[in-house]
Amino acid sequence: MKQGAQGSAATGIPQVSGEDGGAGAPMGGAARVPSQGRAGGVERGRGVSVPTARGEHVHSEPPMPVPVPRAVVQRASVRGQILDALRTALVTGELTPGVVYSAPALGERFGVSATPVREAMQQLAQEGAVEVVPNRGFRVVERGARELAELAEVRALIEVPVMLRLARTVSAERWADLRPLAEATVRAASTGCRATYAEADRTFHRAVLSLCGNEQLVQLADDLHRRAQWPLRTSTRSRTDLLADATEHSALLDALIAGDVDVVRVLVGEHFAG
């Protein structure tokens, strides 16, 4: 992307250099080496001494400096930052369900061109968070309680059997290694920030599921989890609700460490139902 992107302190998007310019461009033109004179002598030209057949001391030009590679900034890196910012805005409700947002307007808000915003919005459209409104922009999808319940059901169908299998096969020591992640969800919930808690929540669930060794399953479950975190239009989830959800992580981890499969089954069922 030739046009740079200057972010604001509010968005946290760093300044991105364009493709033009940059130090270390290759030097043009090759140095001409004078022809060799008679045997036993040198022909001097432009201050260069060329060795003779007798092997006298060589006085050569200093080597050309190795060009310093220019930093190549991929447009995808800007798009990724915008995508993260838009996902956070979805979780916090800053992007209002039912409202249409244009790529140029959001680009101005984030201090970037409309192109990476449009690309990020296309990704969110594939994820079901927004829908394309021709010639206008993107409308944030209005989600209802039924959709949230359906997502919870699908997540349970995927994650519960995996957790029960892991409860029978994974050692207590490996479960104990996840204790810091469970505690991190409690700290994140105590802030009352839904975006902070959403990231900690997904990190804990990814760590649990990753023990199954199936990366495709982990990615699929994480995508469903992310969709389930987008709030409803009338969402009023409080700090108390977040803390209750985070506390279930610690209780689940205690049961996994103890190897109590029956308790694990009850806890994961309640966790997804909640």
Side-chain angles (χ1 to χ4, degrees):
M1 181 176 66
K2 291 185 179 295
Q3 179 180 355
Q6 177 64 46
S8 65
T11 61
I13 298 176
Q15 179 180 355
V16 180
S17 301
E19 296 175 354
D20 298 331
M27 296 174 62
R32 181 175 61 84
V33 179
S35 60
Q36 183 175 329
R38 67 182 186 280
V42 296
E43 178 178 88
R44 301 184 182 275
R46 300 178 62 187
V48 179
S49 296
V50 180
T52 67
R54 297 181 180 178
E56 288 96 344
H57 183 66
V58 177
H59 298 284
S60 61
E61 290 185 355
M64 293 175 60
V66 178
V68 179
R70 290 184 296 171
V72 179
V73 178
Q74 301 293 336
R75 186 170 65 189
S77 65
V78 179
R79 186 195 67 174
Q81 295 175 68
I82 297 298
L83 182 59
D84 288 342
L86 291 174
R87 282 172 171 166
T88 297
L90 282 169
V91 172
T92 60
E94 188 178 354
L95 291 180
T96 307
V99 175
V100 177
Y101 296 90
S102 70
L106 287 174
E108 183 177 354
R109 176 177 175 180
F110 288 117
V112 299
S113 68
T115 300
V117 175
R118 190 173 292 109
E119 292 173 345
M121 278 295 197
Q122 291 289 352
Q123 175 63 36
L124 290 175
Q126 294 178 16
E127 296 176 3
V130 301
E131 57 187 7
V132 179
V133 181
N135 302 320
R136 292 184 60 194
F138 302 84
R139 178 186 291 112
V140 178
V141 173
E142 298 187 65
R143 300 169 58 248
R146 178 176 179 177
E147 182 181 355
L148 189 62
E150 290 174 349
L151 285 169
E153 181 181 4
V154 176
R155 286 187 62 205
L157 290 172
I158 294 175
E159 296 191 38
V160 172
V162 175
M163 288 188 181
L164 292 177
R165 175 164 58 87
L166 294 175
R168 300 183 180 95
T169 58
V170 176
S171 67
E173 290 75 14
R174 295 190 70 184
W175 288 125
D177 290 339
L178 302 185
R179 178 69 69 184
L181 297 181
E183 294 173 346
T185 65
V186 176
R187 291 193 299 273
S190 65
T191 67
C193 176
R194 285 182 294 184
T196 301
Y197 177 71
E199 183 61 33
D201 185 28
R202 289 202 319 278
T203 298
F204 175 78
H205 279 265
R206 281 199 305 268
V208 171
L209 294 177
S210 65
L211 295 176
C212 74
N214 188 329
E215 184 60 29
Q216 298 301 316
L217 183 147
V218 174
Q219 292 181 6
L220 176 60
D222 188 59
D223 178 62
L224 291 170
H225 194 170
R226 187 189 301 278
R227 297 187 187 200
Q229 290 175 330
W230 296 329
L232 302 175
R233 182 169 189 174
T234 58
S235 177
T236 56
R237 202 174 190 199
S238 65
R239 174 177 174 274
T240 301
D241 296 326
L242 298 181
L243 281 170
D245 193 67
T247 301
E248 291 177 358
H249 294 153
S250 296
L252 174 61
L253 196 57
D254 290 338
L256 289 168
I257 292 174
D260 194 331
V261 179
D262 292 334
V263 174
V264 170
R265 181 181 292 106
V266 172
L267 289 175
V268 294
E270 292 178 348
H271 189 65
F272 288 110

